[in-house]
Amino acid sequence: MNCLMVICNVPDETTATHIAHVLVQERLAACVNILPACRSVYRWEGALQESCELPLLIKTIPAGYARLQQRLLELHPYDVPEIIALPVAQGLPAYLTWVSQCLLSSDD
């Protein structure tokens, strides 16, 4: 089964928790890991910026990526959030099957 790992940094714990719950509840993600804070250094609007952010690791499937991306854009407070999807090249088959079943299931 093909899966994606989507990386998205958010500004705080409240935003991280809200986004994670919405994505899993709406079956756009099978699982969202909220990682400890990291420091991001980047250029924004011509100036060097530095901020504390929490990375989200979002597990999904390619068929649902467009909807996931759209929902992240709706939920995220940044004008241009980091949303990067990486293909999962290998993984435990039972886990990858679980990811797919979580997203394709109509059960609550």
Side-chain angles (χ1 to χ4, degrees):
M1 176 53 60
N2 291 333
C3 292
L4 297 174
M5 172 81 70
V6 179
I7 301 168
C8 180
N9 286 348
V10 297
D12 55 59
E13 184 73 34
T14 300
T15 302
T17 301
H18 177 68
I19 288 175
H21 281 257
V22 169
L23 295 180
V24 173
Q25 181 64 37
E26 293 180 4
R27 297 192 188 281
L28 298 172
C31 175
V32 178
N33 301 115
I34 302 170
L35 300 182
C38 68
R39 182 140 314 274
S40 296
V41 178
Y42 53 96
R43 183 170 302 281
W44 180 250
E45 297 181 342
L48 187 64
Q49 304 287 328
E50 187 171 333
S51 61
C52 183
E53 298 180 298
L54 281 76
L56 303 179
L57 301 181
I58 304 163
K59 275 70 90 190
T60 193
I61 56 175
Y65 177 75
R67 290 184 340 179
L68 173 82
Q69 178 179 278
Q70 182 58 43
R71 195 65 170 117
L72 276 171
L73 287 171
E74 293 167 2
L75 296 168
H76 207 290
Y78 295 170
D79 291 336
V80 182
E82 173 186 15
I83 303 173
I84 299 172
L86 306 170
V88 175
Q90 302 248 340
L92 180 68
Y95 179 81
L96 300 179
T97 297
W98 171 80
V99 168
S100 176
Q101 287 174 343
C102 284
L103 302 175
L104 300 176
S105 172
S106 61
D107 298 340
D108 284 330

